[in-house]
């Protein structure tokens, strides 16, 4: 029965505490100083400005893409802005003539049209902001800049010129390498033998260079 259940018997042993445990782990950037950069809409990469290992500052341009969705959103904003301008001019004109020619009802209708146009303009502006773009005129309306949200080092660049990227695609990973996290993975049988705040030694192996160092 012991053989069928794959059970073995051995004598109980007493061992001193504080035994060492060997575990495998990896270095990660501080998650409080880590960011992923991508496109909020489908877009095609047309320009690359940052490479892996490069130091970048917050707000620095990493790449440029083109998006028809962004161009359409900018066109909607421009049209809404033009409607606000026309509605405001019409209201001012009717206010000047309100006492002589234009009835008060038409002035109120013009005020309502201006309020509706302004609400439409705010909605179009919010859409542009959600897409990570500004309402500034000039240049290519479909241009989508990919900028660094934090300062640090480009850990990965996962795009190429001409590549189509979707909102779920991570184009860049950026991290501050001033402080690193060492995340170790211990099996359950080993985890119970690791005391809280116990000292440890880490051996870092550089796979590309084949070099190892201990600290």
């Amino acid at each position: 029965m012991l053989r069928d259940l794959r059970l073995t018997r051995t004598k109980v042993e007493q061992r001193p505490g504080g035994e060492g445990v060997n575990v495998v782990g990896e270095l990660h950037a501080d998650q409080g100083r880590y960011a992923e950069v991508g496109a909020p809409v489908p877009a095609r990469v047309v320009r690359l400005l940052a490479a892996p290992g490069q130091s970048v500052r917050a707000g620095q341009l990493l790449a440029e893409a083109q998006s028809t969705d962004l161009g359409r959103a900018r066109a909607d904003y421009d049209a809404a802005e033009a409607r606000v301008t026309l509605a405001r001019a019409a209201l001012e004109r009717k206010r000047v003539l309100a006492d002589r020619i234009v009835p008060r009802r038409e002035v109120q209708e013009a005020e309502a049209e201006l309020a509706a146009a302004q609400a439409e303009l705010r909605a179009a502006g919010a859409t542009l902001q959600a897409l990570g773009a500004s309402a500034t005129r000039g240049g290519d309306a479909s241009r989508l800049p990919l900028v660094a949200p934090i300062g640090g080092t480009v850990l990965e660049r996962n795009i190429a010129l001409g590549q189509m990227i979707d909102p779920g695609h991570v184009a860049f990973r950026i991290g501050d390498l001033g402080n690193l996290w060492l995340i170790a993975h211990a099996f359950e049988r080993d985890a119970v033998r690791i005391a809280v705040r116990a000292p440890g030694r880490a051996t870092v192996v550089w796979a590309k260079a084949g070099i190892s160092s201990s600290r």
Side-chain angles (χ1 to χ4, degrees), residues 94 97-109:
K94 290 183 179 181
L97 303 173
D99 297 334
R100 294 174 292 175
I101 301 174
V102 178
R104 180 61 184 170
R105 175 180 56 79
E106 293 189 13
V107 176
Q108 293 174 345
E109 291 176 352

Side-chain angles (χ1 to χ4, degrees), residues 7-23:
L7 297 178
T8 58
R9 295 181 297 175
T10 185
K11 293 182 178 180
V12 176
E13 296 181 3
Q14 183 176 0
R15 297 179 180 176
E19 292 181 273
V21 176
N22 293 324
V23 296

Side-chain angles (χ1 to χ4, degrees), residues 7-88:
L7 297 178
T8 58
R9 295 181 297 175
T10 185
K11 293 182 178 180
V12 176
E13 296 181 3
Q14 183 176 0
R15 297 179 180 176
E19 292 181 273
V21 176
N22 293 324
V23 296
V24 178
E26 61 273 339
L27 290 171
H28 290 268
D30 184 346
Q31 294 301 297
R33 297 291 300 165
Y34 169 82
E36 296 181 351
V37 181
V41 290
R44 184 181 299 277
V45 180
V46 296
R47 191 181 179 198
L48 292 175
L49 299 171
Q54 179 179 340
S55 297
V56 296
R57 64 183 183 279
Q60 181 173 334
L61 185 63
L62 305 175
E64 289 182 342
Q66 285 182 331
S67 169
T68 55
D69 292 342
L70 179 58
R72 191 177 302 112
R74 278 207 175 99
D76 292 342
Y77 181 88
D78 292 342
E81 193 175 33
R83 282 191 287 272
V84 169
T85 301
L86 290 175
R88 183 178 289 112

Side-chain angles (χ1 to χ4, degrees), residues 129-207:
Q129 186 177 4
L131 296 179
S134 65
T136 305
R137 285 197 179 97
D140 187 358
S142 63
R143 175 182 173 275
L144 177 64
L146 302 181
V147 299
I150 63 171
T153 302
V154 178
L155 305 178
E156 292 183 20
R157 187 183 73 186
N158 303 312
I159 55 175
L161 283 175
Q163 180 180 350
M164 284 295 301
I165 54 177
D166 296 321
H169 184 86
V170 178
F172 293 91
R173 287 186 168 89
I174 300 174
D176 184 355
L177 302 183
N179 290 309
L180 297 177
W181 288 8
L182 174 59
I183 300 179
H185 307 280
F187 291 105
E188 184 177 355
R189 64 175 182 270
D190 295 327
V192 296
R193 298 161 57 193
I194 301 176
V196 178
R197 300 184 182 278
R201 165 176 287 188
T203 300
V204 182
V205 179
W206 306 99

